[in-house]
Amino acid sequence: MPTPPYVPPNEMPQVPYSRILEGQKAMITGASKGLGAGIALGFAKAGADVLINYNSDEKGAREIAEEVKRLGQKALVVKANVADEAEVLNMYEAMFDTFGRIDILVANSGIQINAPIDEMTLDQWSTVIDVNLTGQFLVAREAIKAFKRQGIDPSISSSAGKIIHMSSVHDIIPWEGHVNYAASKGGIMLLMKSIAMEVAHLRIRVNAVSPGAIRTPMNVEKITSQDIYEDQLLRLIPYKRIGEPDDVAQATVWLASDASDYVNGTTIYIDGGMTLYPGFIGGG
Ligand code: BGC
């Protein structure tokens, strides 16, 4: 029998959700797995109905939709490549046909294609920028149009709409071998802040979450060896545990709710302190 791969323990405290998104309709892009799937479940626990967008993993998206329904909320599964304008417009039509409105957008879809700078092809560069940055622009633009049209309904929320952009600690930490990914995340920061500035007077709130290392399919190779996990990954995390999708979901639910009504144009780092320059611990 081969030894099963190493799995680091889940040390996240289990904090129940309160129903702070009751009655709200949310679109979550890239929700078939990883962070998007975790956020869809968190939103359902907080009382929101959700559109679960996927591009390639239909099975994953349908499984998450079933879980959302088991939690008592409505779920709609829609295939769309967020980098394709026509597909984004179709997804919004599906949102309005089913839910009649949109209150929250979580622009989460993202990919990584790694290569050293002198070997990175234009295609590897463009594909990551298209999905991670242009995709966030396209879905955010359509959300803003809808929020403007809908205005504020105080029985739903104190704001006319909320956007949460999925960024990364690599919006401020440079990442060798990942220049396309880091450039896309750095771009998201000023995309988010500039949209926030433009629409704040309409009571539309736009923020970002920037996770560090989280237990998602993107990070599988970093957590299937105890040596790599403890010697390489935990060295970068002062809090000394990997994050869980629910760590990100909890913060995203709060940012989408009226509990954060005065939070606008900012980024919440969910990283166990990864952005604290951990290389300086005991040195410098
Ligand atoms: C990446 C992960 C990485 C983390 C910290 C995230 O944006 O998706 O693969 O572990 O940043 O480096």
Side-chain angles (χ1 to χ4, degrees):
M1 282 272 281
T3 33
Y6 173 72
V7 178
N10 181 340
E11 297 178 75
M12 184 190 168
Q14 290 307 297
V15 180
Y17 283 82
S18 55
R19 310 256 321 157
I20 50 179
L21 300 181
E22 193 83 64
Q24 301 205 46
K25 314 293 180 195
M27 173 186 289
I28 303 167
T29 66
S32 57
K33 53 174 152 326
L35 295 178
I39 291 168
L41 299 180
F43 271 45
K45 289 174 192 163
D49 294 329
V50 290
L51 181 152
I52 294 170
N53 157 256
Y54 73 97
N55 185 34
S56 54
D57 182 6
E58 179 173 2
K59 185 166 168 285
R62 299 219 173 272
E63 282 167 11
I64 297 301
E66 284 316 306
E67 281 196 56
V68 165
K69 288 181 196 157
R70 269 197 293 279
L71 290 163
Q73 297 303 134
K74 296 197 180 91
L76 171 68
V77 174
V78 178
K79 175 177 165 60
N81 172 1
V82 292
D84 184 303
E85 188 171 28
E87 292 185 27
V88 168
L89 296 182
N90 286 340
M91 173 165 68
Y92 270 86
E93 254 179 55
M95 179 87 196
F96 300 134
D97 284 350
T98 301
F99 294 133
R101 58 183 291 114
I102 179 169
D103 303 297
I104 304 158
L105 164 68
V106 183
N108 167 75
S109 298
I111 53 169
Q112 263 178 236
I113 305 176
N114 314 333
I117 177 63
D118 52 344
E119 289 169 24
M120 186 174 286
T121 63
L122 178 59
D123 190 55
Q124 290 173 322
W125 168 267
S126 306
T127 306
V128 169
I129 298 293
D130 285 354
V131 174
N132 293 13
L133 187 56
T134 307
Q136 294 218 6
F137 155 69
L138 285 173
V139 293
R141 184 188 68 185
E142 296 311 304
I144 297 292
K145 285 183 196 166
F147 296 158
K148 279 185 160 181
R149 199 171 58 236
Q150 293 169 185
I152 300 173
D153 180 343
S155 69
I156 295 175
S157 170
S158 54
S159 73
K162 283 88 50 172
I163 297 179
I164 293 115
H165 289 277
M166 182 56 64
S167 188
S168 160
V169 291
H170 297 296
D171 58 8
I172 51 169
I173 303 179
W175 206 11
E176 60 166 320
H178 304 74
V179 297
N180 48 1
Y181 183 83
S184 73
K185 297 300 185 180
I188 286 170
M189 185 189 295
L190 281 176
L191 171 73
M192 175 276 288
K193 285 179 187 280
S194 302
I195 303 175
M197 176 188 264
E198 195 168 329
V199 298
H201 68 107
L202 300 168
R203 291 275 166 97
I204 296 171
R205 293 195 299 115
V206 185
N207 292 289
V209 288
S210 284
I214 311 290
R215 192 195 305 265
T216 65
M218 251 189 207
N219 277 325
V220 160
E221 80 288 356
K222 292 176 203 147
I223 55 175
T224 45
S225 145
Q226 187 162 5
D227 289 347
I228 294 178
Y229 179 66
E230 288 176 359
D231 300 343
Q232 295 180 27
L233 194 62
L234 289 193
R235 196 169 48 82
L236 299 174
I237 308 174
Y239 207 61
K240 298 295 171 211
R241 72 167 173 86
I242 190 166
E244 304 297 331
D246 200 44
D247 282 305
V248 179
Q250 287 275 7
T252 307
V253 164
W254 178 77
L255 264 185
S257 80
D258 285 353
S260 61
D261 189 57
Y262 208 48
V263 179
N264 199 13
T266 199
T267 301
I268 297 186
Y269 289 88
I270 306 163
D271 66 350
M274 192 177 245
T275 37
L276 296 173
Y277 294 97
F280 276 77
I281 291 173

